[in-house]
Amino acid sequence: MTEVEKTLDNKSVRPTAMRILIYKFMASKNTAVALTDIENAFDKAERTTLYRTLKTFEEKGIVHQIDDGTNISKFALCEPGCNCEIDQDLHLHFHCGQCDKTVCLTEHKIPQINLPQGYIAEDVNLVIKGICDSCNDH
Amino acid sequence: MTEVEKTLDNKSVRPTAMRILIYKFMASKNTAVALTDIENAFDKAERTTLYRTLKTFEEKGIVHQIDDGTNISKFALCEPGCNCEIDQDLHLHFHCGQCDKTVCLTEHKIPQINLPQGYIAEDVNLVIKGICDSCNDH
DNA sequence: CCATTAAATGCACTTCTGTTGCACCATCTA
DNA sequence: TAGATGGTGCAACAGAAGTGCATTTAATGG
Ligand SMILES: [Mn+2]
Ligand SMILES: [Mn+2]
Ligand SMILES: [Zn+2]
Ligand SMILES: [Zn+2]
């Protein structure tokens, strides 16, 4: 059993060939990926399978979904000990308007926000748009 | 010249009949609206016209676009003196998972966020998901 | 090992949002 | 009043998301 298989197994996800490929693909990238990104990465990929795989991954806390303002859902692997299905990992995300890449800034936590009376917060999504360090010509 | 016409004129937007209707519709609601919401509100509405009207409104600082995590763009009128086309009005938004409504919390400003070296922030989008005060049964 | 069963995948198709091109119409200006 | 500019209507398309169903694959128990 490889490391990836163990990871999936730990999260109660059957480590099928396709799932392992998807996991490895996401692990190889340092940016969040869209469903279409994965689809384009594998010639033999079936969109529905990828779609449902991502859903499963998300439900089991393997990936988290990111809404970066492009109206296209992005996904990124959760950090080793993030447990975002229980107590969500409130880091912020950055979307670069130049290279169109979205990254997790896991070190940068979202500060506590207070809401008006009667509002109950369940999740927080903070996205900053701008120029990333790769596109920034210093 | 009515108040609405003056408002549009001040922002260099020709106050056509359709635009006035759209503006009034948005002003009558206390939630952000999607393109489809406006389309459904008027039988005679042409989707393209609404689409381009919202684009124009946004460019001229009459409305601001909100990305609430549903992957459907929402729009809301800017506050009287917000000038968000120059220096964006960094209030937070709330999306209720029960009634599916998105509201501007204009009183609640987004706190200063610091970024890693090399990253340049141009815009910030902070959305909180949960239960709104109307859906909260106290 | 085989039969049974559940889970995963592949295929076809639909819906919805966003977007563009182009023709036509309204409005402004010289 | 003619021309220019800008707004609108109509048609069509692209892309993402999502569903139903048949088929394949994998796990399980005898
Ligand atoms: Mn992330
Ligand atoms: Mn707002
Ligand atoms: Zn970049
Ligand atoms: Zn609500």
Side-chain angles (χ1 to χ4, degrees):
Chain A
M1 226 187 198
T2 71
E3 277 303 312
V4 174
E5 287 177 83
K6 263 184 236 165
T7 306
L8 297 182
D9 209 66
N10 282 342
K11 301 278 189 174
S12 312
V13 171
R14 292 219 315 233
T16 67
M18 202 63 219
R19 284 169 175 175
I20 293 168
L21 278 176
I22 295 173
Y23 187 96
K24 282 184 179 167
F25 173 72
M26 293 183 76
S28 76
K29 310 209 70 171
N30 55 353
T31 61
V33 297
L35 179 55
T36 306
D37 295 332
I38 308 178
E39 199 184 7
N40 293 336
F42 302 101
D43 273 359
K44 282 289 295 173
E46 179 56 33
R47 190 174 185 84
T48 314
T49 305
L50 303 178
Y51 172 75
R52 288 195 261 234
T53 298
L54 286 174
K55 274 226 152 172
T56 304
F57 278 11
E58 195 195 359
E59 281 160 12
K60 297 304 175 64
I62 296 171
V63 304
H64 59 282
Q65 187 171 355
I66 304 159
D67 184 24
D68 60 9
T70 61
N71 279 350
I72 298 171
S73 292
K74 304 284 165 60
F75 299 87
L77 290 184
C78 293
E79 290 291 293
C82 106
N83 272 352
C84 72
E85 75 275 38
I86 304 164
D87 173 38
Q88 64 267 36
D89 185 33
L90 297 178
H91 60 269
L92 65 94
H93 294 109
F94 187 92
H95 176 247
C96 176
Q98 198 158 327
C99 64
D100 198 40
K101 283 178 181 156
T102 299
V103 293
C104 297
L105 298 178
T106 49
E107 305 303 315
H108 293 66
K109 303 302 180 192
I110 299 177
Q112 178 67 27
I113 311 283
N114 48 352
L115 286 171
Q117 191 68 22
Y119 285 77
I120 301 170
E122 288 170 353
D123 196 8
V124 183
N125 189 27
L126 175 52
V127 177
I128 302 190
K129 295 177 209 293
I131 307 294
C132 76
D133 61 340
S134 304
C135 293
N136 184 358
D137 51 3
H138 309 296
Chain B
M1 227 189 198
T2 71
E3 276 304 312
V4 174
E5 287 177 84
K6 262 185 238 168
T7 306
L8 297 182
D9 209 66
N10 282 341
K11 301 279 189 174
S12 313
V13 171
R14 291 221 309 237
T16 68
M18 202 63 219
R19 285 169 174 176
I20 293 168
L21 278 176
I22 295 171
Y23 187 97
K24 283 184 179 168
F25 173 72
M26 294 184 76
S28 75
K29 310 208 72 171
N30 54 352
T31 61
V33 296
L35 178 56
T36 306
D37 295 331
I38 309 178
E39 199 183 7
N40 293 336
F42 302 101
D43 273 359
K44 280 290 293 173
E46 179 56 33
R47 190 173 185 81
T48 313
T49 305
L50 303 178
Y51 170 77
R52 288 196 260 235
T53 299
L54 285 175
K55 275 227 151 170
T56 303
F57 278 12
E58 195 195 1
E59 280 159 15
K60 298 304 175 66
I62 296 170
V63 304
H64 59 283
Q65 187 170 354
I66 305 160
D67 184 25
D68 59 9
T70 61
N71 280 349
I72 298 170
S73 292
K74 305 284 165 60
F75 298 86
L77 289 183
C78 292
E79 291 291 293
C82 108
N83 272 352
C84 72
E85 75 274 39
I86 304 163
D87 172 40
Q88 66 266 36
D89 184 33
L90 297 178
H91 59 269
L92 65 92
H93 294 109
F94 187 93
H95 176 248
C96 177
Q98 198 156 329
C99 64
D100 198 40
K101 282 177 180 155
T102 300
V103 293
C104 296
L105 298 178
T106 48
E107 305 303 314
H108 292 65
K109 303 304 180 191
I110 299 177
Q112 177 67 24
I113 312 283
N114 49 350
L115 285 172
Q117 193 66 23
Y119 285 78
I120 301 169
E122 289 171 351
D123 197 8
V124 183
N125 188 26
L126 175 52
V127 177
I128 302 190
K129 294 176 209 294
I131 307 294
C132 76
D133 62 339
S134 304
C135 293
N136 184 358
D137 51 4
H138 310 295

